[in-house]
Amino acid sequence: MDTWDTLETRELRYFLAVAEELHFGRAAERLGMAQPPLSRAIQQLERRLGVVLLERNRRGVALTGAGEVLLYEGRAALDAATAAARRARRAGGAGTPDGARNRLVLAVKAAASHELLQKLLAAYAAEPGAAEIEVLPSGTCEQEDMLRDGRADVALMHKPFNSLAGFDSEELLTEGQIAILPAAHPLAARRTLSLADVTDIPGLPHARWPRRGSYPPGPGPEIHDQTQLAQLIALGRTMALFPESARAWLWAEHAAVPVVDAPPVVTHIAWPAHSRSLALAGLIRTATRL
């Protein structure tokens, strides 16, 4: 194979840092190295590939067409390499006190699908030869990145909020949505609500999620975890729409009212399409029998 057909992970890390920062100084600082060797490494990469990846001028750094392609493809390749290393270490028992094998990491959105998760873990634990399951709570839509970079082997994900592109998946649960409001708010006394009722509530803006997945960009405070959200709702600073199963984490200061015309939320169990893990296959079979 010709040398220009191969890329080292080190080269990809260097290029991605510059491409994402669009500044050699910031990229070098991010990588913990000096700027001159970083510049030389990028120049060597361009010579080896026979293309210009970065346009350099007085205003800074810009990606060429070839650079845009390598940025997109390089991220996926580096994620795949990182994922392979992480999953290989787990399969070999690395990082566990007793070197236990057959361990799966299951990523879940914190406090979501609580009852379903309990049923799945209990049913799978009863299977002969069941693997150890490490439950990894995640933030909003982080499950996708965790599957791609190998931090997780499998995830519970929720359409329409999560993207299942590039993954295999099975549907497990369909449920309606509820509005989670401060218990003292007048709307909390209603038996049902519509989307129109909760679209623009004076003094009670929708929580604002980080721009990941397809969560709507609410005008209220930005939310990073479920505990923060719970406290701000209790204080009367925000409200949020959640799947019906979110009732499991509500506080006494919260009220949950069904939103009758909100689209249903479908919980999927999802995993990388290329997976050949027998332990994962067993977990999927158990999930689909629930």
Side-chain angles (χ1 to χ4, degrees):
M1 181 178 290
D2 293 329
T3 56
W4 50 263
D5 275 336
T6 61
L7 285 173
E8 298 177 1
T9 55
R10 175 183 58 83
E11 292 177 308
L12 277 179
R13 284 198 303 272
Y14 287 2
F15 170 74
L16 291 178
V18 177
E20 290 169 354
E21 299 289 345
L22 292 178
H23 191 281
F24 276 90
R26 289 195 298 269
E29 183 177 356
R30 169 173 149 182
L31 292 165
M33 62 187 299
Q35 183 173 332
L38 175 60
S39 297
R40 289 194 296 271
I42 299 298
Q43 290 168 356
Q44 181 179 353
L45 175 61
E46 290 177 316
R47 285 195 300 270
R48 206 152 61 77
L49 294 178
V51 295
V52 176
L53 299 171
L54 300 164
E55 295 285 358
R56 305 157 177 85
N57 54 50
R58 292 181 179 179
R59 293 189 300 274
V61 178
L63 287 168
T64 64
E68 291 278 3
V69 170
L70 187 57
L71 173 61
Y72 176 79
E73 299 284 352
R75 281 172 173 159
L78 198 57
D79 279 349
T82 302
R86 284 172 169 159
R87 292 188 174 114
R89 284 175 56 78
R90 276 202 295 277
T96 58
D98 55 357
R101 296 175 183 268
N102 292 329
R103 180 168 65 96
L104 295 173
V105 176
L106 170 61
V108 298
K109 187 168 71 174
S113 304
H114 182 70
E115 183 177 351
L116 174 65
L117 178 59
Q118 284 187 318
K119 289 181 179 178
L120 173 59
L121 294 176
Y124 181 65
E127 293 289 328
E132 175 191 348
I133 302 294
E134 177 185 343
V135 177
L136 185 60
S138 67
T140 305
C141 288
E142 286 182 346
Q143 305 100 305
E144 299 162 40
D145 290 343
M146 289 177 170
L147 284 183
R148 289 193 175 96
D149 68 16
R151 283 176 289 168
D153 302 296
V154 60
L156 294 184
M157 295 165 68
H158 311 276
K159 290 192 72 176
F161 305 122
N162 292 122
S163 170
L164 297 172
F167 303 121
D168 284 341
S169 66
E170 292 282 351
E171 292 186 15
L172 300 183
L173 173 69
T174 299
E175 56 187 324
Q177 295 194 57
I178 54 176
I180 303 179
L181 307 158
H185 194 276
L187 288 179
R190 298 270 294 272
R191 294 186 63 181
T192 62
L193 293 167
S194 68
L195 285 173
D197 293 329
V198 298
T199 295
D200 188 13
I201 305 174
L204 197 65
H206 277 258
R208 177 163 50 91
W209 304 100
R211 296 304 296 141
R212 303 175 63 86
S214 58
Y215 281 82
E222 182 167 302
I223 303 301
H224 298 281
D225 59 58
Q226 181 260 331
T227 301
Q228 178 194 20
L229 174 63
Q231 184 171 35
L232 289 173
I233 293 175
L235 292 172
R237 301 300 177 91
T238 190
M239 59 86 60
L241 296 182
F242 261 78
E244 181 77 27
S245 56
R247 291 179 184 273
W249 59 261
L250 297 188
W251 297 1
E253 296 92 341
H254 299 155
V257 183
V259 181
V260 292
D261 57 345
V265 176
V266 183
T267 299
H268 291 71
I269 188 166
W271 63 97
H274 61 270
S275 176
R276 297 295 182 268
S277 167
L278 294 178
L280 175 58
L283 178 64
I284 303 304
R285 284 195 300 271
T286 299
T288 55
R289 290 197 301 261
L290 291 178

